[in-house]
Amino acid sequence: MELESILLPGIEPKRPIIIAGPCSAETEEQVMQTATELANRGIRIFRAGIWKPRTKPGGFEGVGEPGLAWLQRVKQETGMYVTTEVATAKHVEAALNAGMDMLWIGARTCANPFAMQEIADALAGVDIPVLVKNPVNPDLELWIGGMERLNNAGVKRMAAIHRGFSSYDKKIYRNLPQWHIPIELRRRIPNLPIFCDPSHIGGKRELIASLSQQAMDLGFDGLIVESHCNPDCAWSDAAQQVTPDVLAYILNLLVIRKEKQSTENLNELRTQIDECDNNIIEILAKRMRICREIGTFKKEHAMTILQTGRYNEILEKRGAQGELCGMSADFVRTIFEAIHGESVRQQMEIINK
Ligand code: PEP
Ligand code: MN
């Protein structure tokens, strides 16, 4: 992909680049008050949704085009750059006519190649930075494909936004982070800036600080955070918005580690990691040898391979133990599911011999 910097004049090339503002533009007063408070705390890029994609009909679907005039006012009165979400060619046209400085494409739109192509066509020949959220489903190819459509249409100033992935099973997160996906995106397209959207990943304001820190520790370039002058009364995404004051507090506490530090410490740590990985393989091999012995026993006694009770016991016990050791129970369960799969395969080999 042919990419150019998304940095706007006057924005320092320093991590993290911050974009903040309400989920939705609700009223002119709410937009102006939030923007003024954010500008006073040093925020330079203001976000607000004008057209809101909602899961169910009947919710607040955004104020539409009149909201663009409020964003123009933000730009004039605070000097901030302004950005909004576009999902159709009509949105693109209206946003460009209103002088938006940056556009973003939402997760539902990114999941739809027809919509992405329509937006790409509408942006042909226009030089504006475009941020592309990951699709709602965890499909890196779809995410990259959407960005390629834009890039092929001539959009060179582009960045990705990691906003997590839908899952049926909502426990801690509103959208699962699945960090390995943006990490793989970085490996595939190293010069593409990546923003994290901790608001939509977490779904609760309490999670914003830790998710932002994680994103910084992974070397992300920026954060897009929902901030509202009166979060509890927000017309959309109330639980995940923070006041400009709280946002400033969160940003202030972030530890930004340099990407390139002296590599000596790192080499030492990598040696330790290699040792751990070695141990993991050896211990797994030992476990598989025992499984084959069990296979032999089961064959001699004409027993079935799968003993469901035992399997559930392992998953539960190890999930809980993993959690006590600071890992997510889901992660540990996934590992044990994979280990169990291989154990069954090894036993099958013995039994079918
Ligand atoms: C938003 O940023 O307000 C939004 C609708 O986000 P997403 O597309 O990530 O759901
Ligand atoms: Mn939102």
Side-chain angles (χ1 to χ4, degrees):
M1 249 187 259
E2 202 185 311
L3 296 168
E4 288 166 15
S5 167
I6 54 150
L7 282 181
L8 296 158
I11 305 269
E12 264 188 278
K14 206 176 101 202
R15 290 194 317 131
I17 302 162
I18 305 293
I19 302 172
C23 176
S24 305
E26 299 162 4
T27 64
E28 188 164 3
E29 294 65 39
Q30 167 252 5
V31 166
M32 290 314 299
Q33 192 185 331
T34 308
T36 309
E37 290 179 15
L38 286 168
N40 288 342
R41 285 161 186 79
I43 303 296
R44 301 296 319 278
I45 312 174
F46 183 75
R47 64 147 284 160
I50 301 290
W51 300 283
K52 299 305 298 178
R54 304 312 297 277
T55 302
K56 287 184 177 164
F60 171 58
E61 304 212 311
V63 294
E65 283 193 34
L68 290 170
W70 309 342
L71 291 182
Q72 285 173 326
R73 215 186 128 196
V74 168
K75 199 169 155 163
Q76 278 155 15
E77 293 184 20
T78 70
M80 277 195 278
Y81 290 109
V82 288
T83 177
T84 198
E85 173 175 346
V86 291
T88 66
K90 255 183 88 180
H91 294 167
V92 171
E93 196 192 330
L96 293 176
N97 285 338
M100 293 298 108
D101 299 295
M102 199 181 246
L103 303 174
W104 89 77
I105 295 171
R108 294 156 190 80
T109 309
C110 183
N112 179 349
F114 289 126
M116 288 306 285
Q117 192 57 51
E118 177 185 319
I119 294 170
D121 294 342
L123 282 169
V126 182
D127 184 23
I128 186 169
V130 182
L131 277 52
V132 182
K133 289 199 167 196
N134 64 256
V136 281
N137 51 323
D139 185 341
L140 177 60
E141 300 310 320
L142 192 58
W143 194 3
I144 293 178
M147 291 189 279
E148 277 174 357
R149 287 177 194 277
L150 299 176
N151 200 237
N152 290 343
V155 177
K156 303 278 181 266
R157 293 195 282 160
M158 202 158 49
I161 301 175
H162 167 232
R163 52 77 78 195
F165 302 88
S166 281
S167 81
Y168 184 65
D169 188 15
K170 292 194 172 62
K171 279 189 201 138
I172 303 176
Y173 302 107
R174 177 176 177 194
N175 292 293
L176 298 179
Q178 309 221 44
W179 294 103
H180 61 282
I181 296 178
I183 289 170
E184 175 61 11
L185 175 63
R186 162 105 335 146
R187 195 187 67 79
R188 295 264 298 267
I189 316 177
N191 54 343
L192 175 75
I194 306 182
F195 282 69
C196 177
D197 175 344
S199 313
H200 288 89
I201 294 176
K204 319 180 198 36
R205 56 182 73 102
E206 295 74 22
L207 291 175
I208 291 176
S210 61
L211 286 165
S212 301
Q213 184 64 56
Q214 263 178 288
M216 287 305 103
D217 292 345
L218 289 170
F220 280 39
D221 303 274
L223 299 169
I224 175 165
V225 189
E226 286 189 340
S227 178
H228 189 291
C229 55
N230 188 0
D232 287 329
C233 300
W235 298 0
S236 60
D237 289 352
Q240 69 192 34
Q241 303 207 56
V242 288
T243 59
D245 243 350
V246 169
L247 175 66
Y249 179 78
I250 291 173
L251 294 178
N252 204 21
L253 285 184
L254 286 178
V255 179
I256 310 297
R257 296 177 177 88
K258 286 200 201 76
E259 263 176 292
K260 293 184 186 65
Q261 286 178 323
S262 114
T263 50
E264 232 166 64
N265 291 350
L266 207 54
N267 282 340
E268 160 66 17
L269 292 172
R270 285 188 174 142
T271 308
Q272 290 183 41
I273 290 274
D274 284 344
E275 223 173 275
C276 290
D277 290 350
N278 232 336
N279 291 341
I280 291 173
I281 294 287
E282 278 176 12
I283 209 89
L284 281 174
K286 181 172 176 188
R287 191 186 197 280
M288 293 307 155
R289 280 199 299 277
I290 298 173
C291 284
R292 285 199 295 272
E293 273 180 46
I294 294 180
T296 309
F297 182 89
K298 284 179 180 167
K299 185 179 184 179
E300 284 168 8
H301 295 80
M303 288 166 72
T304 58
I305 292 187
L306 270 183
Q307 313 259 312
T308 322
R310 168 79 180 136
Y311 180 38
N312 284 337
E313 182 196 313
I314 290 178
L315 286 186
E316 256 160 47
K317 198 160 128 194
R318 298 306 169 195
Q321 185 189 10
E323 225 163 11
L324 280 177
C325 298
M327 291 176 280
S328 93
D330 274 345
F331 163 69
V332 175
R333 285 178 71 100
T334 306
I335 287 193
F336 275 88
E337 274 161 18
I339 292 176
H340 183 259
E342 174 66 4
S343 304
V344 169
R345 198 188 63 76
Q346 300 243 357
Q347 289 191 20
M348 295 280 279
E349 267 185 7
I350 297 288
I351 287 179
N352 295 327
K353 239 195 216 155

